[in-house]
């Protein structure tokens, strides 16, 4: 395009650039889980478009337009940079590379503004065609390369997020968001060996069928979710909590000894008895089967023992803890 053609199209192409920068910065803010300053971005773009329109149709100045556009692009992108830099040390793999390339793109907008300021002032005086300028071509080439690399990294990040999301769905119960049976076995297979002992408790809500028959399955689901949240609030870093189906929950946890493990489950029992669920203020109890795991990789045998103990607790009257511990 000739310089007059560039001048005629400048405000319209600039709007596309600026909107792209706005959407890109907003997308990064969503990724960083932070609030985006939309009003500030709007005013930056608004005044940039006014200035670009003035230097296109009132007092045509290609040099000024290039500087204004790149400064505006960098300023919009800069709105999320403080949060990005704070979170960068905690980000991993593709997420970190997305942040790095976004930062480089924002930084390059200011670099291009500097290059335009230093080397392209003579465009309007000497009337040479901008698109044939070595500096302009070099700037566009670097910009294209950066954006291609950013797009590749971003695509990888999206693929990683999709795979992680699908894997989470595969390993977690959709109602309670606890581990499901498959997730429990996969996670337990990677548990580290420690000086402390592992214990396993199986708990089953008492008379839960009566809840579904009386209040309906929707209320029943709310109670199951409430119980899961109660267990998560008491969760320790190495605990594995799972819903094995229906109203049965499993918790694998570390304790110094059998007495400490029993105290932990008695605390669970007390929490459940003191909690009211849904707006109907429904009270629940549970039966518990608690066992010691002698070999952390022998989970299935421990589950069978915990299940037998749970059945024993129900047979003996429910709302109690049955265990085979050596206290």
């Amino acid at each position: 395009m000739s310089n007059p053609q560039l001048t005629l199209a400048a405000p319209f192409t600039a709007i596309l650039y600026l909107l792209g920068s706005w959407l890109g910065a907003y997308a990064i803010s969503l990724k960083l889980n932070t609030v985006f300053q939309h009003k500030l971005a709007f005013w930056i773009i608004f005044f940039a478009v006014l200035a670009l329109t003035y230097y296109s149709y009132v007092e045509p100045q290609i040099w000024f337009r290039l500087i204004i556009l790149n400064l505006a692009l960098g300023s919009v992108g800069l709105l999320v940079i403080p949060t990005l830099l704070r979170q960068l040390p905690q980000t991993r793999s593709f997420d970190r590379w997305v942040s790095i390339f976004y930062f480089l793109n924002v930084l390059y907008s200011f670099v291009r503004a500097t290059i335009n300021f230093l080397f392209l002032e003579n465009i309007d005086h000497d009337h040479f065609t901008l698109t044939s300028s070595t500096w302009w071509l070099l700037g566009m080439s670097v910009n294209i390369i950066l954006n291609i690399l950013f797009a590749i990294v971003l695509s990888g990040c999206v693929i990683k997020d999709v795979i992680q999301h699908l894997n989470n769905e595969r390993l977690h119960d959709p109602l309670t968001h606890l581990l499901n049976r498959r997730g429990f076995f996969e996670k337990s297979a990677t548990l580290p060996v420690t000086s402390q002992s592992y214990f396993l408790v199986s708990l089953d809500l008492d008379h839960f069928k009566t809840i579904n028959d009386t209040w309906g399955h929707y209320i029943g689901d709310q109670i199951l979710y409430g119980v899961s949240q109660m267990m998560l609030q008491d969760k320790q870093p190495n605990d594995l909590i799972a819903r094995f189906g229906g109203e049965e929950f499993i918790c694998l946890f570390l304790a110094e000894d059998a007495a400490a493990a029993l105290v932990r489950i008695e605390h669970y029992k007390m929490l459940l008895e003191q909690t009211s669920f849904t707006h109907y203020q429904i009270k629940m109890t549970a039966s518990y089967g608690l066992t010691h795991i002698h070999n952390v990789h022998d989970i299935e045998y421990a589950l069978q023992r915990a299940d037998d103990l749970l059945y024993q607790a129900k047979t003996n009257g429910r709302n109690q803890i049955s265990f085979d511990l050596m206290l």
Side-chain angles (χ1 to χ4, degrees), residues 279-292:
H279 60 281
Y280 293 112
Q281 298 296 300
I282 299 171
K283 293 284 190 178
M284 296 297 301
T285 63
S287 301
Y288 306 80
L290 173 63
T291 189
H292 181 216

Side-chain angles (χ1 to χ4, degrees), residues 199 255-266 290 325-327:
F199 293 85
E256 291 183 1
D257 51 36
L262 184 58
V263 168
R264 174 87 184 272
I265 303 310
E266 286 174 342
L290 173 63
L325 310 177
M326 298 293 293
L327 298 176

Side-chain angles (χ1 to χ4, degrees), residues 29 48 300 325:
S29 74
E300 290 195 22
L325 310 177

Side-chain angles (χ1 to χ4, degrees), residues 289-304:
L290 173 63
T291 189
H292 181 216
I293 298 180
H294 301 284
N295 183 347
V296 74
H297 299 297
D298 194 13
I299 296 294
E300 290 195 22
Y301 180 55
L303 282 168
Q304 182 180 341

Side-chain angles (χ1 to χ4, degrees), residues 63-95:
W63 181 60
F64 275 174
R65 290 203 310 269
L66 291 173
I67 295 172
I68 291 168
L69 177 59
N70 283 287
L71 288 177
L73 290 171
S75 298
V76 172
L78 198 63
L79 295 178
V80 296
I81 292 298
T83 304
L84 183 147
L85 292 177
R86 281 198 305 270
Q87 295 189 17
L88 188 60
Q90 287 80 42
T91 55
R92 299 178 182 178
S93 61
F94 279 113
D95 290 338

Side-chain angles (χ1 to χ4, degrees), residues 185-219:
F185 282 115
E186 285 197 14
K187 297 290 184 182
S188 63
T190 62
L191 286 174
V193 177
T194 71
S195 57
Q196 291 181 298
S197 297
Y198 284 98
F199 293 85
L200 181 75
V201 64
S202 175
L203 69 95
D204 192 271
L205 299 179
D206 295 330
H207 305 294
F208 190 74
K209 184 177 184 302
T210 305
I211 296 293
N212 283 331
D213 292 342
T214 305
W215 305 98
H217 288 277
Y218 175 72
I219 296 299

